[in-house]
Amino acid sequence: MSNTIGKLFQLTSFGESHGKAIGGIITGCPAGITLDFDKIQYELDRRKPGQSNIVTQRKEDDEVEFLSGIFEGKTTGMPIGFQIENQNQKSKDYSHIKDVYRPSHADFTYDKKYGHRDYRGGGRTSARETANWVVAGAIAKQIIPEIEINAYVSSVGDLFLEKPYQALDFSKTDQNVVRCPDEEVAEQMIQKIKDTRKQGDTIGGTITCVIKNVPVGLGEPIFDKLHARLAFAMMSINAVKGFEYGSGFCGAKMNGSEHNDLFNEDGSTKSNLSGGIQGGISNGMDIYFRVAFKPVATLMQTQPTIDKDGNVVEMQGKGRHDACVVPRAVPIVEALAAMVLVDFSLLNKTHS
Amino acid sequence: MSNTIGKLFQLTSFGESHGKAIGGIITGCPAGITLDFDKIQYELDRRKPGQSNIVTQRKEDDEVEFLSGIFEGKTTGMPIGFQIENQNQKSKDYSHIKDVYRPSHADFTYDKKYGHRDYRGGGRTSARETANWVVAGAIAKQIIPEIEINAYVSSVGDLFLEKPYQALDFSKTDQNVVRCPDEEVAEQMIQKIKDTRKQGDTIGGTITCVIKNVPVGLGEPIFDKLHARLAFAMMSINAVKGFEYGSGFCGAKMNGSEHNDLFNEDGSTKSNLSGGIQGGISNGMDIYFRVAFKPVATLMQTQPTIDKDGNVVEMQGKGRHDACVVPRAVPIVEALAAMVLVDFSLLNKTHS
Amino acid sequence: MSNTIGKLFQLTSFGESHGKAIGGIITGCPAGITLDFDKIQYELDRRKPGQSNIVTQRKEDDEVEFLSGIFEGKTTGMPIGFQIENQNQKSKDYSHIKDVYRPSHADFTYDKKYGHRDYRGGGRTSARETANWVVAGAIAKQIIPEIEINAYVSSVGDLFLEKPYQALDFSKTDQNVVRCPDEEVAEQMIQKIKDTRKQGDTIGGTITCVIKNVPVGLGEPIFDKLHARLAFAMMSINAVKGFEYGSGFCGAKMNGSEHNDLFNEDGSTKSNLSGGIQGGISNGMDIYFRVAFKPVATLMQTQPTIDKDGNVVEMQGKGRHDACVVPRAVPIVEALAAMVLVDFSLLNKTHS
Amino acid sequence: MSNTIGKLFQLTSFGESHGKAIGGIITGCPAGITLDFDKIQYELDRRKPGQSNIVTQRKEDDEVEFLSGIFEGKTTGMPIGFQIENQNQKSKDYSHIKDVYRPSHADFTYDKKYGHRDYRGGGRTSARETANWVVAGAIAKQIIPEIEINAYVSSVGDLFLEKPYQALDFSKTDQNVVRCPDEEVAEQMIQKIKDTRKQGDTIGGTITCVIKNVPVGLGEPIFDKLHARLAFAMMSINAVKGFEYGSGFCGAKMNGSEHNDLFNEDGSTKSNLSGGIQGGISNGMDIYFRVAFKPVATLMQTQPTIDKDGNVVEMQGKGRHDACVVPRAVPIVEALAAMVLVDFSLLNKTHS
C-alpha cells in the first residue's frame, strides 16, 4: 500500500474514517516559512462536510493539530507531524453493510486484497483521508505564494459552465455553495443537485483548475512530466475517472495547423492549447486542466447487491452522504496541485 | 530529470534521437522467464517508422541488443541492459531549426530549464525514446502471459469508432495500417490521414486499451492506485493530453443510479462502468481506458515562430514526420500498460 | 531531510524532544498480524530513560498510542499511525545553551544547514526519536517471530566481553542494567560507568547483535546488500561511529586460507567468518555484527566552547544525561535490525 | 535486486563479467559540466586489472563509450548512458566450478535466491561491476572539483601505516603499485603481498579515505546521514566487512572528556575526532573514514568444498586473481565517495 505522495516535498498519511484520528507527516518542507494557520483552517473548512444544504450534513469540525516541525510559528525543515481527530465517529449501526459489498465501492477489492475490510464507513478508502491532503496542500500553497491556484466546478451532470476560464472571476468561486464562479450557472447547478438529492440519487461533475504565475521550468521529463504528475495526483482522489489538460480530449479532434500554439515575440504563446506545459515542463503560460468525477456510489435508494457469501441482498444507503461531491472536492484539487508544484520547484533547484 | 518508471519492475532509459544509441536497464524482472525474442522484435516493428504509407517514411530498423541479465535464453533476475542503435542518424541539415523554437515543441522549455537544447531532431524529447519502452513492455508482457492487453485506434480527428470494445475482434487490429479493428472505419481513418498529409497538416486521435484476465487485487492505494499509475504512464507518451478509464468523462454526466456497477452473484459486475478498478484496485473485470493524442506539431506548412533572440521567423517542417501518431502509438500504450501491471503484480506478492 | 527508512516496510517519523509528541507512520506492514501490545511496550521500557541508576534519571513513561492500521487487534495492511507524548517537557531553562554550540553536538551543523536550531534539548537530533524506531521494530519483530534478534553490550570503554557470542546465554542480557549477558563482566561494566559518571564524564562502548534463524536469500545486491542496509540503519543511531559484520576489521588482517568459510555437506559453513552473509545475501548462518558508540558529548564538567557569534564561552552540562548510552541502545539496535529483516523478507517475496 | 545507488545523482548499472558488456545510466547529472574524458579513463586505468605484478594479470583495457547525455563535450542534463565492453571474455573452462559452491563466494546464496547462477566467473557478483562505479565517480568528481577526495591503502594484513593522514603526501599514493603514500611502508606492503601470492594465498587490508574542502551542510538526517550513506556505499564494494569514520571503533573506548571535539573561534574544531560530520551533517572539517576488506576468497590452493548436490569436492582456484584487492579498490572507494557527495550537494540545494 502506498501512502506517500511526492519526491522531495512528501506527504505520508494515515487514518481511517472511524478510527481515533487521521493525520500525516510532511517532509521536505523548507525551513523558515512563516505559516498562516488561519489559512490552513480555512482550507479545511472548505472541504469539511456540513457546509451547506447541498452537501452531506455530517458535522466534522476538522481541527488540525501540529505536533512537530514548527517552532515559533515557522517551519524548521524538520518533518511536520499533524493529526485531525475523528470527532464524529459515533458508534452507529453498520450491521446493514457489514457483510455486504456495496456496488461501485472498494468493499469487494479491499476484502479480496487484504483479507478483510473495515466496514465502519469505508475505513481507509473514505474520502475523509483527503482532509490530510488539504493540510499538506495549504502548507504547500504558502511555500509558493506567488503561484495562484484556482479550481472551480465546471459541470454538474450535463450542465456545463461554458465560459472559458479567462472570462471568470475566481473571487466569486466561494461565494456560492457549489463553487462555480458564474452566479447564474451556479444557481442552476445548485438546483440540479437539490433535485437529484430529492430523488435519493447522486450526480457526477467536473472540476477545472487554473494555475497562474508558474515559473518556466517545472517538470522532470521523461517520466516525471508536470502533467503526468498532476494526472497521477488527481487520479488519487476518490471518484475521479478522467483527467485532461490544455486542449485535452478536444485536442485529439484537431489538426496541427489549428492546434499549434504559436509564439509571441516575448516567448509567451498565442492560443495556449498547450495548457502551459510543453514536453512535460511548464512554459510560463497558465496551466489548466479538468478532472472528471463519477457520481457518488452511495444512494438513498434501494439497490440489489451481494454479501460476502454471494447471496443477493437489498441494501439502502443510510447516513449522511453527498449527492454531488465536486463542490467539496475543489479545495482537494487545489491542494494536490499545490503539492505537485512545490515538489517540482524543489526538484528544479537541483538543476541550477 | 526522471528517467525511471516503475517501483519493483523498473525501466531506466537513456538516449537521444541523434546520438549513437538509445537503450535502457530493466530491473526487477523475475528470474527464470524464457524470453521469446521474436515477440520483442515484433513489438518494435509495430512501433517503428516507415511501416506504411500513412506514417513517417523514416526507416529505422530497430534492432535491440541485450547486454546482460539473460543467460541461456532465460532471465536471470539480474538487470537487463539493452541498446538500440540509431542507424539512421544522417548528418542532415538542422540549421533551419537550430536557433528556432518550434511551436508546440519542447524546444523552448528545455532550453530554459537546461540552458541548452539538442537541436538534432528533438534530442531526448524525441518519440524515439518510446522504442525503449516497447522493449521493456514486450518483456513485461511475457512475465504475465495470461493477461491480454489490446490497444487500438478509436478515433482519428472527429472520426470515431463508435462500437463498444466488446463488439470488436482484436485480431483485426494489426490487419490494417491505422490499427483500428473495424475494417470499415479503418478505411475511413486511413483516407482521413492521407488527406491530412496531402495538406501538409497533421491530425490528433485517441487510443483505447482493453485489458482482460486481470487478477483481482492489483493496485496500491491510497497514492498508487492502479488507474493513477496507468494515467501517469500514458501521460509520459509524447503528445498525450488526456486519460480516462471506465465511464470517464461521460461518467461525470451521469446519476449514481445509472452509473453504479451492480454485482452479479459471482462477484463480477453488470455494467463495468467502473472500468475494472474499484478503489484503485482491480476487481477482475476488464480494464479499459482511453488516451487522447494531440496532432503532431511538426507541419509541412510554413508557420511563423521565434528564434532564441525573440525574432519572428518563418519555418517550415522538413524531414519525415507522421501526419498522425496514433497508429504507431498503439504498441507504446500496450507496453506501458504491461509494465504497470507487472509492477503491481510484484507489489501484490508482498501482501500475501 | 530524510525521515523515512525502508523500502517496502517503511517507517516515516516525526518529532522533537520538546514538542508535544513524537510519532510515526509504518507502511507496508502485512495485513492480519495479531499484535502483542505488551511486547511493544516492553521494548519501549527497555529503551526509556530512568530505568536504572547507571542511565539518565529523566523519567519518560513512554506510552505509544496507535491511531490507525489496527482493527480488532490485528494489522489491516493500512498505514499504522502512532504517537508518543512528550510528558516530561518541562519548560526548563535552556538559556545556558540557547546561543551556544555544544562541542560534538549537531548544534552547529543544524544551525548552518537550516538557518536555525531548536535549542530545547536537541530538537529533532535528540535520541528521543529512537523511541519511534523501537515501536516500529517491535512490530517488525512480530512479523518475523521465527527470527531471533539478540543484541547486547560487548564493551564499555576498554572493558571488553571477550567470550564469543556462542558461549553466551542471551536470556541473561536483560538481567542486569548494563545489558551484558555475562554477569561478571556486567558487574565490571556497571562499576566503570558509575566511576565515569562520578567524574562528570561519559564513556563509549560497543553493541554486538546476533541474528539466528535467518532464511537463506535475504538481501538485494548489488546496491542493497543485507549488510549494507544493516550498516546504514545502525549508522542512523546517534553516536555511532563504526560498523562491522562477520570477521569485520579483524578479517582485514587475515589470509584467505584462514578466512575462507568452508562448507559443511548440508550447505552450512564451518567458521562463519562470513557473518551469515555472502555476496550481500543471507546464507542461513547466524548474522552477527558490532556497532561502535562514541561517548556521549554532554558532560557534567565545564568545557570551553563558542557561541553563535564566535565568542568563547564556558559551558557545563546540566540536566539528566546518560554517562554511557550503550545499555539503552540495545533495544534500538534490535529494532532497526528487525525492520531491515522484514523489509528484505517482503522484497524477497517478489522473486518467487 | 537493487541496481541503483543515489537519490538525485543516480547510477543504475548492469552487466556480468562474462557478458558482452557492462554499463550504466547516470541520471541527475547537472547540465553544462565540461567533461575531461582523460580523467575518466585515468580512473578506469587505476582500477583495471593487470596494472602491476602484485595484482591480477588479467588484461582488461577498459574503455568506456558514452552513448548519450553529452553534447559537444558538455553534459546536457539528460541521462548519460555508457558501456564498457568485456574484451577479455575468452570462453575459458569453467567446468571446474560450474556445479561447485566456492567457499566465501556468493555462488551458494545466488543459486538459492535466484534459482540459478551464472558460473562464468562470478556473473553479476564479479568486481568487474565496480568499473561502472568508477565511471560514475569520475564524472561526480568533475561536478565538485573543489572537494578533494583521497583514498589510500592504510593496511595490508597486520602491516599498518601508522602515520596520521595529516602527515601524508597524497600525491605519492599513485607512485607505487600498492597505493600507500608512505614509500617505506608501501615497500613492505608490496613485499607482503608478493609473499602471500607466492603461497597461493590472499590477504586482506584497509583503505582510508580523506575528503577535504567539504562545504558545511551536506547530509540529510535523520535517516540519510552523511556517514550512513558513506557506510552504505562502501558496504556495496565486494569483500568489505567494516566501516568506521572519525574516531570509529577507537572512539568507543574513550571518555567524553577526551573525545569531545572542541570548537575554535572560527567554528572549526580542534581534534576532529568527529571526522568532519556532526549529527549526520558535514561541519566543514576533513571527513575521513576507514574501510575493511577481507582477503580475496579465490585461492591458488586446494580447498575442500561442496557441489550443488552436497558432495564434497576438492577445488583449486584457476585464472588470474588478485592476491590483495585493496590497491585496486582505492579508486572505487573514491568513486563511491564522490557520488555520495554530489548527491548530497544536489539535495542540499533544495534547502535554500
Side-chain angles (χ1 to χ4, degrees), chain B residues 31-329:
Chain B
I33 308 282
T34 302
L35 290 180
D36 182 332
F37 295 95
D38 290 340
K39 284 189 181 169
I40 299 170
Q41 190 58 49
Y42 170 72
E43 296 292 343
L44 275 173
D45 290 344
R46 293 176 80 202
R47 192 213 74 94
K48 76 174 178 185
Q51 299 168 58
S52 74
N53 60 353
I54 66 162
V55 297
T56 172
Q57 291 306 298
R58 248 179 307 131
K59 284 266 166 50
E60 294 172 7
D61 276 327
D62 291 334
E63 261 184 76
V64 60
E65 180 180 31
F66 292 103
L67 302 169
S68 68
I70 300 166
F71 188 45
E72 298 172 345
K74 288 187 184 178
T75 61
T76 62
M78 310 295 119
I80 299 172
F82 68 88
Q83 64 174 29
I84 305 169
E85 272 190 40
N86 289 330
Q87 299 182 314
N88 203 7
Q89 51 181 125
K90 55 177 170 176
S91 58
K92 63 178 170 175
D93 186 7
Y94 286 101
S95 58
H96 65 301
I97 55 167
K98 187 174 188 306
D99 293 319
V100 169
Y101 296 136
R102 291 168 295 169
S104 288
H105 274 86
D107 299 342
F108 175 81
T109 51
Y110 268 66
D111 199 359
K112 296 296 176 190
K113 186 176 181 87
Y114 297 106
H116 76 94
R117 58 183 259 246
D118 185 342
Y119 47 78
R120 304 164 302 164
R124 182 74 178 143
T125 70
S126 164
R128 176 135 187 78
E129 158 72 11
T130 58
N132 289 327
W133 311 354
V134 168
V135 171
I139 290 175
K141 281 184 176 180
Q142 299 189 37
I143 301 171
I144 45 170
E146 68 285 2
I147 300 181
E148 294 167 29
I149 305 173
N150 286 291
Y152 60 91
V153 171
S154 46
S155 74
V156 169
D158 56 6
L159 184 60
F160 282 77
L161 171 59
E162 302 285 359
K163 286 183 191 166
Y165 77 82
Q166 292 88 344
L168 301 173
D169 175 0
F170 296 138
S171 71
K172 292 191 175 167
T173 301
D174 273 23
Q175 291 180 2
N176 58 67
V177 293
V178 79
R179 293 206 170 91
C180 172
D182 182 290
E183 290 165 43
E184 204 176 328
V185 179
E187 269 316 301
Q188 296 168 20
M189 288 175 170
I190 292 167
Q191 195 54 50
K192 194 173 197 80
I193 295 172
K194 285 183 176 170
D195 291 349
T196 303
R197 150 169 284 181
K198 225 171 278 173
Q199 293 154 28
D201 212 338
T202 60
I203 194 162
T206 61
I207 290 176
T208 297
C209 185
V210 180
I211 311 174
K212 289 169 173 293
N213 288 333
V214 184
V216 181
L218 303 190
E220 300 287 325
I222 298 304
F223 289 123
D224 215 10
K225 289 176 171 162
L226 178 44
H227 55 275
R229 194 78 90 74
L230 286 169
F232 181 76
M234 297 307 145
M235 284 283 165
S236 302
I237 309 175
N238 307 43
V240 170
K241 304 296 283 187
F243 172 91
E244 59 179 5
Y245 81 104
S247 61
F249 277 89
C250 276
K253 297 186 202 164
M254 294 168 81
N255 284 120
S257 56
E258 52 177 338
H259 191 279
N260 273 2
D261 191 10
L262 302 182
F263 282 102
N264 297 311
E265 291 179 40
D266 62 356
S268 66
T269 66
K270 291 183 197 297
S271 73
N272 195 22
L273 287 171
S274 302
I277 301 172
Q278 274 159 343
I281 299 170
S282 62
N283 70 351
M285 302 297 292
D286 295 347
I287 293 174
Y288 59 98
F289 59 84
R290 210 159 65 95
V291 186
F293 291 77
K294 67 163 189 169
V296 172
T298 301
L299 310 182
M300 297 301 113
Q301 299 175 346
T302 300
Q303 296 177 93
T305 192
I306 58 169
D307 66 14
K308 295 177 92 159
D309 304 316
N311 301 313
V312 178
V313 295
E314 291 281 307
M315 69 165 288
Q316 190 181 6
K318 291 183 186 171
R320 302 145 303 177
H321 291 276
D322 288 301
C324 183
V325 83
V326 283
R328 286 180 54 213

Side-chain angles (χ1 to χ4, degrees), chain A residues 116-138:
Chain A
H116 76 94
R117 58 181 259 244
D118 185 341
Y119 47 78
R120 302 164 304 165
R124 181 75 179 143
T125 70
S126 165
R128 177 136 186 77
E129 158 71 11
T130 59
N132 288 328
W133 310 354
V134 168
V135 171

Side-chain angles (χ1 to χ4, degrees), chain C residues 213-258:
Chain C
N213 288 333
V214 183
V216 181
L218 303 190
E220 300 287 325
I222 300 298
F223 290 123
D224 214 11
K225 289 177 171 163
L226 178 46
H227 55 275
R229 193 81 89 73
L230 286 169
F232 182 76
M234 297 307 146
M235 283 284 163
S236 302
I237 309 174
N238 307 45
V240 169
K241 304 296 283 187
F243 172 90
E244 60 179 3
Y245 81 104
S247 62
F249 277 89
C250 276
K253 297 186 204 163
M254 295 168 77
N255 285 120
S257 56
E258 53 179 336

Side-chain angles (χ1 to χ4, degrees), chain C residues 87-211:
Chain C
Q87 299 181 315
N88 204 8
Q89 52 183 121
K90 57 175 170 182
S91 59
K92 64 177 172 179
D93 186 9
Y94 285 103
S95 57
H96 66 299
I97 55 168
K98 186 173 189 308
D99 294 319
V100 169
Y101 295 135
R102 291 168 294 170
S104 287
H105 274 85
D107 300 342
F108 175 81
T109 51
Y110 269 63
D111 199 359
K112 295 295 177 193
K113 186 176 181 86
Y114 298 105
H116 77 93
R117 60 183 259 244
D118 184 342
Y119 47 78
R120 303 163 305 164
R124 182 75 179 141
T125 70
S126 164
R128 176 133 188 77
E129 158 71 12
T130 58
N132 288 329
W133 311 353
V134 168
V135 171
I139 289 175
K141 281 184 176 180
Q142 298 189 38
I143 300 171
I144 46 169
E146 68 285 3
I147 300 181
E148 296 168 27
I149 305 172
N150 286 289
Y152 59 92
V153 171
S154 47
S155 74
V156 169
D158 56 6
L159 184 60
F160 283 77
L161 170 59
E162 304 283 0
K163 287 184 190 165
Y165 77 82
Q166 294 87 343
L168 301 173
D169 175 0
F170 297 137
S171 71
K172 291 191 174 166
T173 301
D174 272 24
Q175 291 179 2
N176 59 68
V177 294
V178 80
R179 293 208 168 88
C180 172
D182 181 291
E183 290 165 44
E184 204 176 327
V185 180
E187 268 316 300
Q188 297 168 23
M189 287 174 170
I190 292 167
Q191 196 54 50
K192 190 166 201 86
I193 294 172
K194 284 182 177 170
D195 292 349
T196 304
R197 149 168 284 181
K198 224 172 279 171
Q199 293 154 29
D201 212 337
T202 61
I203 194 163
T206 61
I207 290 177
T208 296
C209 184
V210 180
I211 310 174

Side-chain angles (χ1 to χ4, degrees), chain A residues 8 346 349-350 352, chain D residues 8 346 349-350 352:
Chain A
L8 289 177
L346 297 178
K349 289 188 182 185
T350 67
S352 61
Chain D
L8 290 178
L346 295 178
K349 289 187 182 186
T350 68
S352 60

Side-chain angles (χ1 to χ4, degrees), chain A residues 80-341:
Chain A
I80 300 173
F82 67 89
Q83 63 173 29
I84 306 169
E85 273 190 39
N86 289 330
Q87 298 181 316
N88 203 7
Q89 53 182 124
K90 58 177 170 179
S91 60
K92 64 176 170 177
D93 186 9
Y94 285 103
S95 58
H96 65 300
I97 55 167
K98 187 174 189 308
D99 294 322
V100 169
Y101 295 136
R102 291 169 295 170
S104 287
H105 274 85
D107 299 343
F108 175 81
T109 51
Y110 268 66
D111 198 358
K112 295 297 176 191
K113 186 176 180 89
Y114 297 106
H116 76 94
R117 58 181 259 244
D118 185 341
Y119 47 78
R120 302 164 304 165
R124 181 75 179 143
T125 70
S126 165
R128 177 136 186 77
E129 158 71 11
T130 59
N132 288 328
W133 310 354
V134 168
V135 171
I139 289 176
K141 281 184 177 181
Q142 300 189 36
I143 300 171
I144 45 170
E146 68 285 3
I147 300 181
E148 295 167 29
I149 304 172
N150 286 291
Y152 59 92
V153 170
S154 46
S155 73
V156 169
D158 55 6
L159 184 62
F160 281 77
L161 170 60
E162 303 285 359
K163 287 185 192 164
Y165 78 82
Q166 293 87 345
L168 301 173
D169 175 0
F170 297 137
S171 71
K172 292 192 174 166
T173 302
D174 273 23
Q175 290 179 3
N176 58 67
V177 293
V178 79
R179 293 206 170 90
C180 172
D182 181 292
E183 290 165 45
E184 203 175 327
V185 180
E187 269 315 301
Q188 296 168 21
M189 288 174 170
I190 291 167
Q191 195 54 49
K192 192 170 198 84
I193 295 172
K194 284 183 178 170
D195 292 349
T196 305
R197 153 169 281 181
K198 225 170 276 170
Q199 293 155 27
D201 212 337
T202 61
I203 195 163
T206 62
I207 290 176
T208 297
C209 185
V210 180
I211 310 174
K212 289 169 173 293
N213 289 332
V214 183
V216 181
L218 303 190
E220 300 287 325
I222 300 301
F223 290 122
D224 215 10
K225 290 177 170 162
L226 179 45
H227 55 275
R229 195 79 91 73
L230 286 169
F232 181 76
M234 298 307 145
M235 284 281 163
S236 301
I237 309 175
N238 307 44
V240 170
K241 302 298 282 186
F243 173 91
E244 59 179 5
Y245 81 103
S247 61
F249 277 89
C250 276
K253 297 186 204 163
M254 295 169 78
N255 284 121
S257 55
E258 53 179 337
H259 191 279
N260 273 1
D261 191 9
L262 301 183
F263 282 102
N264 296 311
E265 292 180 40
D266 61 357
S268 67
T269 66
K270 291 183 198 295
S271 71
N272 195 22
L273 287 171
S274 302
I277 302 171
Q278 273 159 342
I281 299 172
S282 61
N283 69 351
M285 303 296 292
D286 295 347
I287 292 173
Y288 60 98
F289 59 85
R290 209 159 66 94
V291 186
F293 292 76
K294 68 163 189 168
V296 173
T298 301
L299 310 182
M300 297 302 113
Q301 299 175 346
T302 301
Q303 296 177 94
T305 193
I306 57 168
D307 66 15
K308 297 177 90 157
D309 305 316
N311 300 313
V312 177
V313 295
E314 291 281 305
M315 69 163 290
Q316 191 181 7
K318 291 183 186 173
R320 302 146 303 178
H321 291 276
D322 288 301
C324 183
V325 82
V326 283
R328 287 179 53 212
V330 165
I332 300 168
V333 166
E334 290 180 7
L336 290 170
M339 291 163 68
V340 169
L341 291 166

